[in-house]
Amino acid sequence: MLQDDGSSSVTSSSPIQVFPMMSVSPSFGSSNQWLKELKSEERGLYLIHLLLACANHVASGSLENANIALDHISQLASPSGDTMQRIASYFTEALADRILRSWPGLYKALRSTKLSVVSEEILVRKMFFEIFPFLKVAFVVTNQAIIEAMEGEKMVHIVDLNAAEPLQWRALLQDLSARPEGPPHLRITGVHQQKEVLDQMAHVLTQEAEKLDIPFQFNQVVSRLENLDVEKLRVKTGEALAISSIMQLHTLLAHDNEKKSPLPFKHSNGVNLNRALVNQNTLGEFLEKDMANGCSPSNDTASSSPLCSTGSTKMDSFLNALWGLSPKVMVITEQDANHNGTTLMERLSESLHFYAALFDCLESTLPRTSLERLKVEKMLLGEEIRNIIACEGIERKERHEKLEKWFQRFDTSGFGNVPLSYYAMLQARRLLQSYSCEGYKIKEDNGCVVICWQDRPLFSVSSWRCRK
């Protein structure tokens, strides 16, 4: 992470050396001129120190100290500042939100007039699609896996468990129209909680199918995934079924019997802030260096939240229902991160690394003054951070897990992995190469595509079929 002046060294007289010895006290704001003189890395280090201290206070119920820490952070963080300032703003907001939830009446009163504008939410998700390559790669790989699985089939039924973007299936229609044996009769069933999204998708795809002279039908199922009645998918005998789920399955991991109140914090992790930061080019590298002692996620992230402790009756039932439909192929895209830990500190540490990489992507793509960037950070990434940090029980939907955990879960549910083809991998790499930003990478993991920023895995795409 570069400093404001472009340099990357920290002098021996840097105030950073006294950060670990400083207590988080109310007198902090009385003389803060030195804060204004901090360079980017120094400020970032101190923000991490404050965030971890604040999270410890929140988890232990020390609200007075948490309030002091939040006040300190507010003097350094900014949603329009550098990458660390921006990400600190949203984690701070999430920690404050968690505190407020301890007083349900106060929390509900403060949010009673909050407006949720569907059109704005749809627009922000389209911005995410346009700015980042992640969904585009997922679409390309998913379509290729479906085309290969459906070779020679005359009746194809695709169930889209997150039918939000018609461009994916528009591209598939074009690919199917070019099949040597001719296009199949295609039926797509789209599942989404907002009818206007499904109406738009139906309009776009029906027009495209008519233009390509492909027999086509679009079925709408207006439902949240957790409330989906599989019978409404209307899978028919004789159809070759494909299922696509993009960043949806993790929402089923919430426990119905899990406590809604914040879980007690069991242990305290510190950060060694004495190490000087030299030649760090991204916030991800910055965090890797400075959270290594005690707060960095272990290499085996699955061990922190074993499958048996995160089992979900809802997830098991849903996967069993999908298995009962006998799909020829099921393609799953998920965030490749461990944000389903049981403790606040565990989730804070893991999510800091993950979202640091996403904020770095934005820093490398859009100027800090970009309104699109601000909207994506606040309305999408910021809301995900809030859910991971502030919520518990069935309200905590953003329960992202690593690819190896999904391998265990699908295997237990009777699905076998289908390695993605060389051509699917090649298409993914070519798509990333078309981006001017060099930080995006593709790696192969057990026949699956993992999309990375630098060396940080962010999203995985895997393919499955029923194991009879």
Side-chain angles (χ1 to χ4, degrees):
M1 181 176 171
L2 297 177
Q3 296 177 6
D4 291 336
D5 61 1
S7 62
S8 58
S9 62
V10 178
T11 64
S12 59
S13 60
S14 168
I16 205 74
Q17 296 181 357
V18 301
F19 287 174
M21 283 74 79
M22 292 179 59
S23 62
V24 179
S25 65
S27 62
F28 169 87
S30 60
S31 177
N32 59 1
Q33 178 60 34
W34 64 274
L35 286 175
K36 300 176 183 178
E37 300 172 0
L38 288 179
K39 296 179 180 179
S40 182
E41 289 93 340
E42 297 169 336
R43 182 175 57 233
L45 281 169
Y46 194 41
L47 278 169
I48 291 175
H49 170 68
L50 289 172
L51 279 172
L52 291 167
C54 182
N56 273 295
H57 293 315
V58 171
S60 63
S62 179
L63 299 185
E64 183 178 352
N65 286 329
N67 179 61
I68 293 169
L70 289 171
D71 186 40
H72 292 186
I73 297 169
S74 69
Q75 299 185 48
L76 294 172
S78 169
S80 58
D82 64 27
T83 310
M84 190 61 222
Q85 287 178 299
R86 296 169 92 107
I87 198 171
S89 296
Y90 296 108
F91 274 90
T92 305
E93 193 173 62
L95 288 168
D97 192 275
R98 186 179 177 95
I99 294 173
L100 280 176
R101 287 169 184 265
S102 300
W103 291 277
L106 177 62
Y107 180 78
K108 290 175 183 175
L110 287 173
R111 294 177 65 87
S112 62
T113 58
K114 179 179 172 60
L115 294 176
S116 180
V117 183
V118 173
S119 59
E120 277 289 298
E121 294 175 1
I122 295 172
L123 180 61
V124 169
R125 293 193 178 276
K126 285 189 176 295
M127 288 178 184
F128 181 88
F129 173 79
E130 293 295 337
I131 294 169
F132 295 108
F134 308 122
L135 290 180
K136 295 184 182 73
V137 171
F139 290 172
V140 165
V141 173
T142 298
N143 285 4
Q144 185 59 34
I146 291 175
I147 288 170
E148 292 170 5
M150 298 301 167
E151 185 175 355
E153 295 288 350
K154 292 181 171 57
M155 300 281 290
V156 174
H157 184 185
I158 297 172
V159 171
D160 184 354
L161 296 178
N162 183 31
E165 181 50 68
L167 290 180
Q168 175 183 8
W169 306 126
R170 189 176 180 180
L172 182 70
L173 282 167
Q174 294 166 359
D175 291 337
L176 290 175
S177 70
R179 286 203 317 183
E181 68 270 33
H185 182 285
L186 179 63
R187 189 157 68 98
I188 294 179
T189 297
V191 180
H192 200 278
Q193 67 192 64
Q194 294 161 345
K195 189 177 186 303
E196 51 265 54
V197 172
L198 294 174
D199 288 341
Q200 175 66 14
M201 179 171 280
H203 175 72
V204 171
L205 297 183
T206 300
Q207 277 195 333
E208 187 68 21
E210 289 174 355
K211 185 173 71 174
L212 297 170
D213 196 24
I214 295 178
F216 175 75
Q217 182 182 358
F218 186 84
N219 299 326
Q220 300 185 22
V221 178
V222 181
S223 173
R224 291 180 180 272
L225 192 62
E226 60 263 35
N227 300 325
L228 178 64
D229 179 1
V230 174
E231 293 295 323
K232 292 184 178 180
L233 301 179
R234 295 190 293 168
V235 176
K236 301 175 182 178
T237 303
E239 291 179 330
L241 178 65
I243 298 173
S244 169
S245 173
I246 294 184
M247 298 189 294
Q248 286 297 295
L249 286 187
H250 64 261
T251 63
L252 299 178
L253 290 173
H255 299 261
D256 294 332
N257 60 348
E258 195 175 282
K259 293 180 181 179
K260 290 183 66 174
S261 59
L263 297 172
F265 183 62
K266 301 298 185 184
H267 62 279
S268 175
N269 286 326
V271 175
N272 183 354
L273 296 173
N274 286 316
R275 292 192 301 279
L277 187 67
V278 181
N279 294 329
Q280 310 312 325
N281 294 319
T282 69
L283 179 55
E285 294 173 3
F286 181 31
L287 286 167
E288 289 290 351
K289 295 287 184 182
D290 288 284
M291 297 184 73
N293 280 5
C295 284
S296 178
S298 64
N299 290 331
D300 184 13
T301 53
S303 65
S304 62
S305 54
L307 191 63
C308 59
S309 69
T310 58
S312 167
T313 302
K314 190 171 291 185
M315 173 66 79
D316 294 341
S317 299
F318 187 73
L319 290 181
N320 288 337
L322 294 186
W323 185 89
L325 298 177
S326 300
K328 283 197 75 173
V329 66
M330 183 169 72
V331 191
I332 307 297
T333 300
E334 280 290 334
Q335 291 90 337
D336 193 33
N338 181 26
H339 298 156
N340 199 19
T342 56
T343 67
L344 169 63
M345 206 63 184
E346 188 179 12
R347 300 203 301 271
L348 181 86
S349 174
E350 293 282 349
S351 56
L352 258 177
H353 282 78
F354 181 84
Y355 287 98
L358 287 178
F359 275 65
D360 267 333
C361 294
L362 287 167
E363 180 77 4
S364 302
T365 308
L366 294 172
R368 293 177 183 176
T369 55
S370 166
L371 182 58
E372 290 82 3
R373 174 178 175 178
L374 181 62
K375 284 187 174 182
V376 169
E377 288 176 341
K378 180 173 179 60
M379 298 177 65
L380 186 60
L381 304 183
E383 286 303 308
E384 289 180 4
I385 291 169
R386 182 198 299 272
N387 190 264
I388 293 167
I389 300 301
C391 298
E392 295 294 350
I394 59 174
E395 292 180 348
R396 181 158 60 87
K397 302 296 185 183
E398 301 299 336
R399 294 172 175 261
H400 313 144
E401 294 195 336
K402 298 290 287 183
L403 180 60
E404 57 262 31
K405 295 286 288 295
W406 289 108
F407 259 82
Q408 296 175 48
R409 188 167 283 112
F410 288 130
D411 181 69
T412 302
S413 299
F415 290 94
N417 179 245
V418 181
L420 295 166
S421 67
Y422 170 80
Y423 187 60
M425 298 281 187
L426 182 62
Q427 284 184 299
R429 288 193 170 93
R430 283 177 175 172
L431 195 154
L432 281 192
Q433 288 170 0
S434 69
Y435 274 71
S436 56
C437 187
E438 296 181 355
Y440 295 111
K441 298 179 181 178
I442 288 285
K443 73 174 184 178
E444 185 270 338
D445 185 356
N446 288 319
C448 307
V449 163
V450 178
I451 315 165
C452 307
W453 172 253
Q454 306 299 348
D455 293 320
R456 167 68 54 179
L458 294 177
F459 297 89
S460 67
V461 187
S462 56
S463 180
W464 306 84
R465 65 182 165 211
C466 292
R467 191 176 59 245
K468 297 295 185 182

